[in-house]
Amino acid sequence: MKTLNDFDKPYRDSIATTYDQLEKAYIDISSNYVFDLTKTEITESILERLKMYYLTQGKIKSFLDKRYLAAASDFFVESTLFFLRLYFQSHGGQLQAHSEKQIRKTKNAIRPDISIWRQDEVIAIIECKTQLGWNRRVNQKEKS
């Protein structure tokens, strides 16, 4: 007789597959793609990832009758970091992208969503926002 864990295993396996596919995409892109910053392909790829994330989360929200979607902020940071690292690698790796790395080694130091480093020096900070255009009045009415 099948246990609850047996029934649930395919779903757990599909979650694990996400990492495998991320790693495969990284290897495929690093081996076969030439970045061209005159095009908008990186932005388009990030937007397609976010679109799929939101579509999937919308289905889960509806299926489970949840009130809110799962936050996309971490997924957005991961997607941006993914492409930045690939781009920097393709240009010799002199720059490194890190997520939530302390800028200084002091208590309460800032940890930006993404920081760009050249050796031990931070040269850029990126804060990733997913609530652009959020209308507080509309959302306040929904909560009432």
Side-chain angles (χ1 to χ4, degrees), residues 39-70:
K39 297 180 180 179
T40 60
E41 290 181 314
I42 297 171
T43 300
E44 291 170 21
S45 292
I46 292 170
L47 289 173
E48 285 296 323
R49 282 183 176 205
L50 286 170
K51 176 182 170 185
M52 190 56 55
Y53 180 86
Y54 278 118
L55 288 172
T56 302
Q57 288 303 315
K59 289 177 183 178
I60 291 169
K61 177 183 179 273
S62 177
F63 180 71
L64 297 176
D65 197 24
K66 291 173 57 183
R67 186 166 179 172
Y68 301 106
L69 289 173

Side-chain angles (χ1 to χ4, degrees), residues 66-121:
K66 291 173 57 183
R67 186 166 179 172
Y68 301 106
L69 289 173
S73 55
D74 288 334
F75 185 75
F76 183 35
V77 169
E78 289 169 7
S79 296
T80 303
L81 186 63
F82 177 87
F83 289 106
L84 278 171
R85 285 190 169 186
L86 278 164
Y87 178 77
F88 292 154
Q89 176 189 323
S90 76
H91 282 76
Q94 290 83 11
L95 298 178
Q96 297 292 316
H98 297 278
S99 178
E100 298 185 17
K101 180 178 179 176
Q102 282 183 292
I103 298 302
R104 292 189 184 94
K105 294 184 181 191
T106 61
K107 187 176 181 180
N108 298 326
I110 63 169
R111 289 186 169 120
D113 290 335
I114 297 174
S115 53
I116 310 302
W117 296 74
R118 182 180 292 120
Q119 297 171 348
D120 292 334
E121 179 186 10

